Amino acid sequence: MVERGRAEKKGNGAAARLRQRFPTIDDLRRRARGRVPRFGFDFVDGGANDEICIDRNTSAFQAIELLPHYCVDGKVTTDTQLFGKTYAAPIGVAPMGSAGLIWPGAEKLFAAEAQRQCIPYVLATPGNASIEEIAAIAPDVFWFQLYRFPYNDHAITYDLVRRADEAGAHVLVPTVDSAGKSKRPRDIRNGCRVPFPINPWTTWQVLTSPAWTMQLLRNGMPITANLVPYAEKANQNSTAEVMQLRSGGSHTWEELKRLRDRWKRPFVVKGILHPEDAERAVAMGADGIWVSNHGGRHFDGAPASIDVLPAIVSAVGSRATVVIDSGIRGGLDVVRALALGAKFCFTGRCFAYGLGALGPAGAPHVADLFLDEIKTELLHVGARSVAEAATIKVRHPNAWRFDNY
Ligand SMILES: Cc1cc2nc3c(=O)[nH]c(=O)nc-3n(C[C@H](O)[C@H](O)[C@H](O)COP(=O)(O)O)c2cc1C
């Protein structure tokens, strides 16, 4: 069994009280909405265009039925092997850029909790903490997500890869689903951009969110920390400018191949929805495919990632590790994904809502909810392990069907 420092192990009554007051992710989301400035909450909660894809993601999970086996004896374990490591459960923290908007200092809190619980934490390229800072906090569980910087023959891209390698990131995760600019109406209405507009409306939001504001004062203005070496100054505007002017587009197949050849540890391509793209990524040398629609933040017309998962597993599941995010809101969704062939799950927003709602107690509470629920739902379906969950019978009415997968 993976040893982890869970709060309840120490007989912590506070953790039990949180479980009673906030038993679901939706409880945390509601509380975060009341505690975080509107621009920060909407940045995390919102999505592209009409935000249909966000709802599609969650309702697609809800539509999936699992057929339980009863009369099964034995202890349940959630321990999960992934890329040669054993994690405490098949759930990790997905990469989120500018997570400091929901709670200043978010990345360090995510990393510390992931290390404590032994679950993966994926630092985003545009995160508000650097590769080196996160490596020091979460040396055993830290992965790095990579965006594309075509400027100057990818000099920044390759330097980020070098730094992630030297810092000991376990897995490199190039994201490919950010081909164009995303249009997020809530961010546009809130004026959520860099440089951040200081006007009566945003000032009011900050002043009426005292816990968030105290945290901002302690942490300072969030910056795109990984880009400091490539910026004129180590401040918000300068680092955000590097992101805006120097990055963009989807890594091409040829670029992915070059990255693959440089990176000697596991390589997982994030943002795959088409089984043909999954095939191509595996043929190019990817160890893993991360099925995702970016939580509906980029392309509102995308299918729910869970609805294309079975076709992708059928295409590449025997040759690569398939993991998934977008719409997972609890342990039952994790077990649904496992039953459909995913080897591991991630969520971004659940952890972000936890921080917005509870500050430093948020990530531990969300991790506790997931770990407990995964175990309970495995018991409910009659599976004693993550491997056994893959054998559970599933009804998946909205699954995409392809002739050849
Ligand atoms: C606020 C926010 C920022 C994000 N930033 C990134 C990013 O920088 N890189 C990336 O690959 N994915 C990013 N994502 C997408 C997540 O990694 C993940 O795919 C998404 O959160 C899954 O949706 P869910 O959390 O609603 O289940 C971001 C998501 C959120 C909510």
Side-chain angles (χ1 to χ4, degrees), residues 95-97 126 145 147 175 270 292 294-295 297 325 327 329 348-349:
M96 283 179 286
Q145 178 272 325
Y147 274 138
T175 295
K270 177 170 184 277
S292 171
H294 217 107
R297 293 172 66 78
D325 74 19
R329 293 294 176 267
R349 289 193 179 93

Side-chain angles (χ1 to χ4, degrees), residues 76-233:
V76 171
T77 171
T78 59
D79 289 1
T80 309
Q81 302 287 327
L82 188 67
F83 301 124
K85 281 187 91 71
T86 305
Y87 293 103
I91 187 74
V93 188
M96 283 179 286
S98 302
L101 281 173
I102 191 117
W103 191 257
E107 284 83 356
K108 291 180 186 170
L109 292 169
F110 292 145
E113 184 56 19
Q115 175 75 17
R116 194 173 75 91
Q117 296 274 20
C118 197
I119 59 173
Y121 170 58
V122 190
L123 175 69
T125 295
N128 298 136
S130 70
I131 293 170
E132 293 76 11
E133 286 172 312
I134 295 301
I137 297 171
D140 300 321
V141 296
F142 131 77
W143 301 13
F144 181 62
Q145 178 272 325
L146 182 70
Y147 274 138
R148 174 177 185 262
F149 294 79
Y151 162 79
N152 196 13
D153 199 20
H154 299 275
I156 295 177
T157 317
Y158 291 135
D159 198 51
L160 286 166
V161 173
R162 176 194 61 77
R163 288 168 56 197
D165 183 33
E166 284 177 13
H170 295 275
V171 180
L172 185 70
V173 184
T175 295
V176 294
D177 62 7
S178 310
K181 272 194 162 184
S182 49
K183 177 172 177 177
R184 290 197 292 270
R186 290 201 231 177
D187 290 349
I188 296 170
R189 282 186 216 109
N190 290 333
C192 190
R193 59 173 184 271
V194 180
F196 192 75
I198 304 204
N199 57 40
W201 170 226
T202 52
T203 308
W204 170 252
Q205 290 177 52
V206 169
L207 292 178
T208 52
S209 311
W212 184 95
T213 303
M214 283 305 294
Q215 187 68 8
L216 179 73
L217 293 174
R218 267 187 228 117
N219 281 270
M221 277 307 252
I223 62 171
T224 313
N226 282 320
L227 303 184
V228 167
Y230 325 113
E232 245 174 57
K233 295 187 186 144

Side-chain angles (χ1 to χ4, degrees), residues 328-349:
I328 287 163
R329 293 294 176 267
L332 176 54
D333 293 335
V334 171
V335 176
R336 285 170 165 139
L338 298 174
L340 287 168
K343 294 283 185 266
F344 212 89
C345 300
F346 290 85
T347 172
R349 289 193 179 93

